[in-house]
Amino acid sequence: MSESYTNWLDQKKLKLNSLDCYSAGITPEELAQQLGVNTSEIVKLNFNENLFINRDRQTLLLKQTADEIDLRIYPEDEVPKLAKNLAEYLKIPQNCIVIGNAGDELLDRIIRLFIEKGDTAISFAPSFVIPQLCVKRQEAKYVTIPLKNDFQLDVPTMLAAFSKKTRLLYLCSPNNPTSNQMNPKDIETLTKAFPGIVILDEAYNEFAVYSFVQRIHEFPNMIILRTFSKAFGLAMLRLGYAIANPEIAEILIKKSPLPYPVSGFTARMGIKMLENLDIMQTAVTALKVERAKLIDSLNQIDGVQAFDSQTDFVLMNTKLPADFVYEKLLKRGIILKKWGKLLQYDNCFRVTVGLPEVNAKLIESLKQINEE
């Protein structure tokens, strides 16, 4: 191996190792080991998973899918059929739909196609971190504008940040971690004024009030992201989709270099969940009821403030330091997503809306920590 190649490889490895990456944090298995308990005793409220989905019915669909497929064969018509069913569910043309391996893969695909070295992407903060990681990997600049104190968009400041080099605008609504939807008029204003691609991330939309999906024809530069991981409860299978005008949708489908980005098995499960839509609808209705109860219960604890939510999680701020509360909860086998300081709030947590018995354990634990 030549010295010049060795130097290049060393420099490349150094550069790649300097990139920020996503960390999932401690797993239930790791925490169970630390505490010396069974994994089943760990309360996992940090990944916004929908456990209100009827597991028995979902497992039945899973078994039916396993019986129908031949794993020796590449995917065939599963993805087009899934797109057709999604078009019927969303009431939009099928040629507006792009199927992907979860919303994260679609984000990565869009950013690889539309962002180049030296470009600028704009978003707001706090919000979902993956777009920033993808943009920086493209050697582009990621500019964030703080949300206002009511968690809404600072439209004048964002408009002022648009320039000749801005190529992408990322808007998450409902937003992770603030759990609110943005004012639709603000999204409309920013999208119409933006000179490049606008990604509107609606991953949590089934838990919210409104959607831009049926208005996609009004915004030729908008790409809407949706997922089966949240409301549909298919988090393990990693299935997502994008909605865009047909020209951009065709680019996203045909110009991605990877064949078969979604497995036939996963696509078939998506189809079955759409054919049994009541499973998702029943779960979402139950989750919304429990969400309201959880917010009310959290707000009755002295030193805890929980905010309204349009997602399957709740943003919570505590008077006690976030690190202190987080460690105390871990010792009780409860995992939350610790955010710390968000805007004017110093000790924030993102809390998945769990089943009633799980939420009761969280509430009781927070009360005990407050009294210690």
Side-chain angles (χ1 to χ4, degrees):
M1 187 180 294
S2 69
E3 184 179 349
S4 62
Y5 182 82
T6 303
N7 289 339
W8 170 84
L9 182 58
D10 288 341
Q11 291 171 8
K12 189 66 175 178
K13 288 189 293 185
L14 189 65
K15 183 176 180 180
L16 291 173
N17 282 324
S18 70
L19 293 174
D20 291 333
C21 59
Y22 177 77
S23 174
I26 192 169
T27 67
E29 291 80 6
E30 290 169 341
L31 182 57
Q33 262 191 339
Q34 289 180 19
L35 299 177
V37 300
N38 292 327
T39 304
S40 60
E41 297 178 52
I42 302 300
V43 173
K44 185 171 179 277
L45 296 174
N46 60 335
F47 263 40
N48 307 337
E49 293 144 331
N50 181 8
L51 297 185
F52 288 80
I53 289 286
N54 186 315
R55 190 178 180 187
D56 289 339
R57 288 190 64 190
Q58 193 179 63
T59 300
L60 181 61
L61 298 181
L62 194 72
K63 291 176 179 177
Q64 290 174 2
T65 302
D67 288 338
E68 293 170 1
I69 64 170
D70 186 340
L71 292 177
R72 301 168 297 177
I73 297 175
Y74 282 106
E76 294 177 336
D77 298 324
E78 290 88 355
V79 167
K81 185 175 180 183
L82 175 58
K84 178 178 180 293
N85 286 22
L86 275 170
E88 294 171 359
Y89 165 58
L90 299 169
K91 297 178 174 56
I92 59 172
Q94 183 177 337
N95 62 356
C96 292
I97 296 173
V98 183
I99 307 299
N101 186 20
D104 295 338
E105 184 270 331
L106 286 164
L107 261 174
D108 185 52
R109 194 191 306 185
I110 294 164
I111 290 168
R112 283 177 183 270
L113 289 171
F114 288 99
I115 292 288
E116 298 176 2
K117 182 178 180 179
D119 289 342
T120 297
I122 294 178
S123 186
F124 57 82
S127 192
F128 190 44
V129 71
I130 297 297
Q132 181 173 355
L133 300 180
C134 293
V135 166
K136 288 187 173 181
R137 191 185 55 203
Q138 296 297 103
E139 299 186 73
K141 187 178 181 182
Y142 197 80
V143 176
T144 58
I145 309 299
L147 290 173
K148 296 189 294 185
N149 286 345
D150 62 355
F151 300 154
Q152 288 295 323
L153 298 168
D154 184 347
V155 174
T157 304
M158 294 187 77
L159 288 171
F162 295 174
S163 72
K164 291 182 179 179
K165 286 193 173 184
T166 52
R167 302 287 184 255
L168 185 140
L169 172 65
Y170 175 77
L171 304 172
C172 189
S173 177
N175 185 40
N176 177 6
T178 57
S179 75
N180 64 300
Q181 279 193 294
M182 301 303 163
N183 185 321
K185 290 291 184 184
D186 291 345
I187 293 175
E188 182 176 337
T189 297
L190 290 169
T191 301
K192 288 183 175 180
F194 192 69
I197 289 290
V198 177
I199 298 176
L200 177 59
D201 194 336
E202 289 191 350
Y204 298 94
N205 187 263
E206 281 87 357
F207 306 103
V209 177
Y210 72 86
S211 171
F212 271 78
V213 167
Q214 281 75 37
R215 299 181 60 192
I216 192 64
H217 63 281
E218 299 176 35
F219 308 100
N221 61 333
M222 179 182 280
I223 302 172
I224 300 173
L225 295 181
R226 302 285 286 270
T227 183
F228 279 82
S229 295
K230 306 304 179 184
F232 285 91
L234 294 183
M236 182 169 278
L237 291 185
R238 314 300 292 132
L239 180 61
Y241 57 99
I243 300 107
N245 73 72
E247 184 181 10
I248 289 181
E250 186 175 21
I251 289 171
L252 293 178
I253 293 169
K254 293 185 176 180
K255 302 307 176 182
S256 174
L258 298 177
Y260 311 118
V262 178
S263 77
F265 184 93
T266 296
R268 283 188 181 230
M269 270 302 294
I271 292 166
K272 287 192 179 295
M273 290 300 292
L274 288 169
E275 290 173 344
N276 295 271
L277 205 55
D278 66 297
I279 298 176
M280 179 274 287
Q281 292 169 333
T282 300
V284 168
T285 298
L287 190 147
K288 286 181 177 180
V289 171
E290 186 61 25
R291 181 178 69 190
K293 292 178 181 177
L294 176 61
I295 292 171
D296 183 59
S297 296
L298 287 170
N299 281 324
Q300 289 182 34
I301 302 172
D302 185 38
V304 174
Q305 180 180 11
F307 301 89
D308 288 339
S309 173
Q310 295 296 322
T311 62
D312 66 346
F313 62 86
V314 173
L315 180 68
M316 172 185 81
N317 184 56
T318 60
K319 185 176 180 180
L320 291 171
D323 288 341
F324 174 81
V325 174
Y326 181 72
E327 292 300 325
K328 288 288 186 180
L329 287 172
L330 282 183
K331 289 177 181 177
R332 289 168 167 81
I334 301 173
I335 309 174
L336 303 185
K337 174 64 176 179
K338 181 183 67 175
W339 277 85
K341 187 171 179 58
L342 292 182
L343 301 174
Q344 71 270 36
Y345 302 100
D346 292 326
N347 303 295
C348 289
F349 294 87
R350 193 188 67 198
V351 184
T352 304
V353 178
L355 296 171
E357 60 272 20
V358 169
N359 293 337
K361 183 175 180 179
L362 171 65
I363 295 299
E364 184 58 32
S365 295
L366 286 170
K367 289 178 180 178
Q368 291 172 2
I369 292 168
N370 215 32
E371 294 169 359
E372 289 178 2

